[in-house]
Amino acid sequence: MTRILVVEDDPDLGLALRVLLTRASYTAVHAADGRDALRLLFAERPALMILDIGLPELDGWEVLERTRDMSDLPVLLLTARGAETDRVRGLRAGADDYLPKPFGNEELLARVEALLRRSGPARWAGGGYGDDGLRLVPERRSALWQGQETRLSDIEYRLLQVLVRNRGRVITTDQLLDRVWDDQEGTGRERVKFAVLRLRRKLRQAAGDEAADPLEAVRGLGYRYRPEEKGNGDGGPDDGPQDARGRAEGP
């Protein structure tokens, strides 16, 4: 059965969630604090995590940050009703969805089902995660591209992490500003273009091939990571990010 980690310090709510998930044919594992949650993440390798923010030992924000350093499993965040800042912060930090308390049982199960349906099997650190061509190595903030490791800045790593976690899907410039730079105003859009340019150069240099590049600029929309292709046939290292037809043009 699909294993779900419930991280909730309220014993009554924790029990209720375990019963609800078990009746829905899931295997529910419970952690009552942040440290126990991280231990169970390594031990159980769940398919999904339901995470409360207000936890003892380590709070939900720290658990979420450390989780994203080692896995891309879907995370459903439990927040206080009306706490919009918590919901926004959680989504920017890497949560996949949120549910305000109190919530209905059917809504929680529907959100769990939706997250599991649209997410592939979770990838875990220890060998990195990614695909056969490119793998992220969270503990070193680096990437293995075509068998060669390249060290990345924090911004470059987070940028690549967002694109890899959404493999094959176009992520808009505004979404990248939100998730990588935490830019609430949407200013500085050019910074995305040039960060992608630097990242692509590093990947090409690691592969020793100026045409080897798994990132694609989609004209007028944003960028995407294409795991099915090792390169997109773009130009040399001085070119800007290109669109699907190979023109040096950012979105």
Side-chain angles (χ1 to χ4, degrees):
M1 289 192 293
T2 302
R3 186 177 289 104
I4 295 176
L5 175 59
V6 176
V7 188
E8 172 58 64
D9 65 322
D10 183 316
D12 293 332
L13 181 54
L15 176 60
L17 287 170
R18 293 201 307 276
V19 171
L20 176 65
L21 293 167
T22 300
R23 288 177 177 173
S25 299
Y26 296 108
T27 298
V29 182
H30 179 240
D33 61 63
R35 294 192 187 280
D36 197 30
L38 293 176
R39 180 184 64 80
L40 288 172
L41 275 175
F42 278 109
E44 300 290 340
R45 299 292 176 96
L48 180 142
M49 178 166 61
I50 298 174
L51 176 63
D52 186 29
I53 292 175
L55 298 171
E57 301 294 332
L58 295 175
D59 65 21
W61 303 122
E62 292 178 273
V63 173
L64 179 58
E65 180 180 0
R66 297 192 188 187
T67 298
R68 281 294 167 253
D69 279 345
M70 61 179 156
S71 179
D72 64 346
L73 88 162
V75 176
L76 175 60
L77 202 65
L78 301 182
T79 69
R81 182 171 296 277
E84 181 180 359
T85 55
D86 284 347
R87 298 196 295 270
V88 171
R89 180 181 175 184
L91 293 172
R92 286 176 174 155
D96 297 275
D97 198 0
Y98 67 86
L99 189 58
K101 297 179 182 180
F103 48 81
N105 290 345
E106 292 304 315
E107 181 179 5
L108 181 136
L109 289 176
R111 289 177 182 270
V112 165
E113 292 167 5
L115 285 174
L116 291 171
R117 186 170 56 247
R118 66 175 184 249
S119 303
R123 291 167 169 80
W124 296 85
Y129 62 93
D131 54 51
D132 290 340
L134 184 144
R135 299 185 72 79
L136 298 179
V137 187
E139 58 269 28
R140 294 199 296 272
R141 281 292 195 270
S142 65
L144 286 169
W145 172 231
Q146 297 190 1
Q148 301 299 316
E149 185 170 11
T150 181
R151 299 300 294 268
L152 305 174
S153 69
D154 286 345
I155 288 292
E156 291 164 348
Y157 182 86
R158 291 200 299 270
L159 176 60
L160 189 56
Q161 184 182 52
V162 169
L163 292 170
V164 169
R165 287 189 66 224
N166 293 275
R167 58 190 63 82
R169 292 163 49 192
V170 176
I171 306 299
T172 68
T173 299
D174 288 339
Q175 287 172 329
L176 288 172
L177 281 169
D178 241 8
R179 301 180 192 183
V180 178
W181 284 269
D182 192 21
D183 186 343
Q184 300 182 34
E185 303 300 325
T187 58
R189 292 168 59 91
E190 285 294 301
R191 73 178 69 175
V192 177
K193 175 179 178 179
F194 290 111
V196 172
L197 171 61
R198 291 192 300 271
L199 180 56
R200 295 176 79 175
R201 284 176 175 170
K202 283 191 175 183
L203 294 175
R204 294 168 183 160
Q205 290 168 359
D209 182 352
E210 295 299 341
D213 182 352
L215 305 182
E216 178 185 38
V218 180
R219 189 177 189 181
L221 295 176
Y223 301 89
R224 67 181 165 196
Y225 168 67
R226 299 188 302 167
E228 72 281 2
E229 297 181 20
K230 290 185 177 181
N232 61 12
D234 60 339
D238 292 328
D239 294 339
Q242 300 174 352
D243 67 16
R245 290 180 290 277
R247 292 201 289 260
E249 185 171 351

